[in-house]
Amino acid sequence: MPETLLQLHAQALRLFGERLRAVQDGQWGAPTPCTEWDVRALVNHVTGEQLWIPPLVAEGRTVEELGDAFSGDVLGDDPLAAWEAASVAAHAAFAAPGALDRTVRLSYGPALGMAYCSELTADCVVHAWDLARGIGADDRLPDNLVEFSIKEVMPYADGLAASGMYAEPLEVPAGANAQTRLLALLGRKG
């Protein structure tokens, strides 16, 4: 039986959480493949993304209504606790009855909750790799999450670099594995 989107979302959150639990005290300022972010800034970004989900999905609020509610430091003195609370609430919002079929009003326009969940699942997978690289941990990603993320990213991969949020896609070496292909689509060298 194929995994459901909610199962993949939960798995991606667990993966990021596992990498986060491996961060040592002296690693918060370490660089990551996201050249503008150190480890703390990366974790802050991914945690902040989770904080948006409950008000947008469960409450039907808009990005405009929320304004800068999740700008700045969302980690406080306990980044792991902040992540765990945000990720649990985010998954609960997506798992609520009807949430994946609901229209969510995002910064780039309306989207189904299912599309928003898919986007954030793939984003969490790639940022788990970024975090692992930043702290020198195991950066292998689960095959099922890699395949899901490739399918999610592929339709809009050409426009990602133009958004300014990703580097130009890299050429994929012949015979490259799925993880290398995914990372190359997003301008990362695996």
Side-chain angles (χ1 to χ4, degrees):
M1 181 175 142
E3 293 158 307
T4 68
L5 176 56
L6 288 173
Q7 288 169 326
L8 291 166
H9 181 254
Q11 183 184 2
L13 293 173
R14 281 191 308 274
L15 177 68
F16 190 85
E18 288 166 6
R19 299 304 186 268
L20 177 54
R21 282 186 280 288
V23 176
Q24 301 296 308
D25 288 340
Q27 293 180 311
W28 290 100
T32 71
C34 300
T35 55
E36 296 181 16
W37 293 333
D38 61 15
V39 167
R40 185 176 174 91
L42 173 72
V43 172
N44 191 71
H45 164 73
V46 179
T47 303
E49 285 187 326
Q50 306 317 306
L51 292 172
W52 284 96
I53 296 168
L56 294 175
V57 174
E59 299 168 21
R61 297 181 67 194
T62 66
V63 171
E64 293 79 21
E65 289 173 340
L66 293 168
D68 63 0
F70 306 116
S71 296
D73 179 27
V74 299
L75 300 178
D77 294 334
D78 192 346
L80 182 57
W83 162 257
E84 288 176 349
S87 64
V88 166
H91 188 71
F94 279 134
L100 295 180
D101 297 320
R102 190 173 298 137
T103 298
V104 182
R105 293 169 295 179
L106 304 171
S107 60
Y108 54 81
L112 281 178
M114 183 178 305
Y116 185 39
C117 184
S118 295
E119 175 187 329
L120 290 183
T121 298
D123 191 69
C124 196
V125 170
V126 173
H127 285 319
W129 181 85
D130 293 329
L131 181 54
R133 278 292 175 106
I135 63 172
D138 181 4
D139 66 2
R140 288 173 295 168
L141 299 170
D143 292 343
N144 64 329
L145 289 177
V146 169
E147 291 297 337
F148 172 84
S149 298
I150 288 172
K151 288 176 188 163
E152 173 60 25
V153 170
M154 195 62 98
Y156 52 89
D158 291 342
L160 290 175
S163 74
M165 296 188 298
Y166 295 90
E168 289 289 331
L170 303 175
E171 192 170 319
V172 180
N177 66 24
Q179 179 170 317
T180 300
R181 289 194 324 271
L182 171 64
L183 297 171
L185 279 172
L186 301 172
R188 290 161 168 87
K189 185 175 172 105

